[in-house]
Amino acid sequence: MDPTDPELIAAVLKGDAASFEPLVKKYLPRVFATARRYARRDSEVEDIVQEVWSKAFLKLSSFRGEAPFEHWLMRLAVHTCYDFLRAHQRNRETSFTELSDAETGWLDRYVADPDDASESAAAAKQLVARLMEMLSPPARLIITLLEIEDKSVKEISALTGWSVPLVKVRAFRARAEMRKCLTKITRDKYL
Amino acid sequence: MNTTELQKKLIAAARSMAADERVPYAFEKRIMARLDAVRPPDVWSLWGNALWRAAVSCVAVTLLTSAWMLWSDHGSSTHGDFSEELETAVLVAADSADETW
């Protein structure tokens, strides 16, 4: 029988670093999925993932075992992604002229008939990715967790360490910021 | 244009994207190799290794010195009684003190 997470963690804390590898293997897909929500380039995603695991290894003694290891790890992953967003926020300004033909075409279809523009279209996904990159780090984090991953305010509070009222305030601001970015994208052509 | 509706549509588009859980080949090996580099050194094992090395050096020096002493004792016939020589050496200071007073 495979050792459980607490057994592996106890072995690592006793000095058996090799016991960390099964934990890495088990949770690597989830950490990759989280990192890909916040970074596009493969090199950036890999840097985030490596950073998450380095932190997890070095801070493992602070894991008290009250919650599952996965929750603790995801909290670390979200913090690392947020740090990444803050470090790269200078690059997030994008202008309407940079929209691709496919994105412009999808917007044209939406303006002509909203029902005709399918949300499953690749252009819609590109457009939303572009929109997310225009958001400030807290707004992007909140929109990703609340709207895309469908987490509750309480869960977001536990993941980010922000209080519940702060999450609510930031969610309100994030939605407004998203609308503002959307207006900026569509203003020149459609408004 | 109704931006609120557009926003809802785009969020629905984002939700329809499945989480991408692909992992590059043998990525866990790369992480473990990186952890070897970031792992803080074990102070006790470093200290223990250093002590063992020092102990081996000390034993080697002791053996060499003993061998040299034995060899020099056998090799020279001019040496007198060791206790006599020691007494002389120790009392040199006392003799010179007597002369001074």
Side-chain angles (χ1 to χ4, degrees):
Chain A
M1 200 176 81
D2 289 339
T4 61
D5 289 357
E7 286 168 353
L8 289 169
I9 291 163
V12 176
L13 291 175
K14 275 183 193 162
D16 176 17
S19 294
F20 198 63
E21 193 170 338
L23 288 171
V24 175
K25 219 170 179 174
K26 186 173 173 185
Y27 296 111
L28 205 48
R30 277 220 61 189
V31 178
F32 258 102
T34 302
R36 285 198 180 101
R37 296 261 190 219
Y38 304 94
R40 257 199 201 182
R41 285 188 216 134
D42 284 347
S43 60
E44 289 174 339
V45 171
E46 288 177 5
D47 284 350
I48 291 173
V49 172
Q50 291 204 5
E51 184 70 22
V52 170
W53 285 106
S54 297
K55 282 183 185 172
F57 184 79
L58 294 174
K59 293 180 175 179
L60 197 60
S61 56
S62 70
F63 172 66
R64 286 173 295 181
E66 289 161 359
F69 175 71
E70 191 177 2
H71 292 189
W72 182 79
L73 183 68
M74 284 304 119
R75 210 160 45 230
L76 261 184
V78 166
H79 278 275
T80 308
C81 290
Y82 185 54
D83 290 343
F84 167 82
L85 289 178
R86 284 199 297 186
H88 294 79
Q89 65 178 327
R90 272 182 304 163
N91 307 330
R92 70 190 161 82
E93 280 300 320
T94 316
S95 67
F96 173 68
T97 51
E98 289 169 18
L99 287 180
S100 68
D101 291 344
E103 289 165 338
T104 314
W106 188 87
L107 277 174
D108 286 342
R109 276 201 305 283
Y110 178 80
V111 170
D113 179 10
D115 293 334
D116 189 35
S118 164
E119 57 256 29
S120 60
K125 290 170 183 172
Q126 282 172 17
L127 195 59
V128 78
R130 185 184 295 277
L131 194 60
M132 296 299 279
E133 281 182 3
M134 291 172 75
L135 296 176
S136 65
R140 184 168 179 179
L141 189 74
I142 285 281
I143 294 286
T144 304
L145 295 172
L146 192 70
E147 305 284 5
I148 300 173
E149 294 187 6
D150 209 17
K151 293 197 186 305
S152 69
V153 171
K154 216 172 172 182
E155 283 173 315
I156 296 172
S157 169
L159 273 172
T160 56
W162 300 337
S163 66
V164 169
L166 182 62
V167 172
K168 285 179 182 171
V169 168
R170 285 194 164 163
F172 177 78
R173 286 183 190 156
R175 288 190 191 106
E177 194 181 322
M178 198 175 181
R179 269 196 302 277
K180 202 172 154 190
C181 291
L182 208 48
T183 308
K184 195 175 168 187
I185 284 178
T186 54
R187 183 180 49 209
D188 297 341
K189 199 169 180 185
Y190 305 105
L191 297 180
Chain B
M1 184 195 291
N2 185 347
T3 49
T4 310
E5 283 305 312
L6 178 58
Q7 185 179 2
K8 279 183 188 166
K9 195 130 196 162
L10 288 175
I11 284 178
R15 274 187 183 179
S16 71
M17 285 188 265
D20 186 355
E21 295 195 339
R22 280 176 300 121
V23 176
Y25 177 71
F27 199 80
E28 68 277 5
K29 300 283 176 208
R30 214 192 297 178
I31 287 173
M32 292 308 289
R34 183 177 153 146
L35 292 183
D36 280 338
V38 300
R39 192 184 308 167
D42 181 0
V43 180
W44 288 109
S45 69
L46 286 178
W47 182 238
N49 285 342
L51 282 180
W52 273 114
R53 270 187 221 146
V56 168
S57 308
C58 286
V59 168
V61 168
T62 309
L63 288 174
L64 284 172
T65 313
S66 306
W68 179 68
M69 290 289 289
L70 283 172
W71 177 79
S72 60
D73 265 358
H74 284 297
S76 63
S77 55
T78 53
H79 283 275
D81 186 13
F82 180 70
S83 59
E84 221 172 86
E85 282 177 14
L86 179 68
E87 193 179 330
T88 312
V90 170
L91 293 177
V92 163
D95 287 344
S96 56
D98 281 348
E99 282 166 17
T100 310
W101 291 97

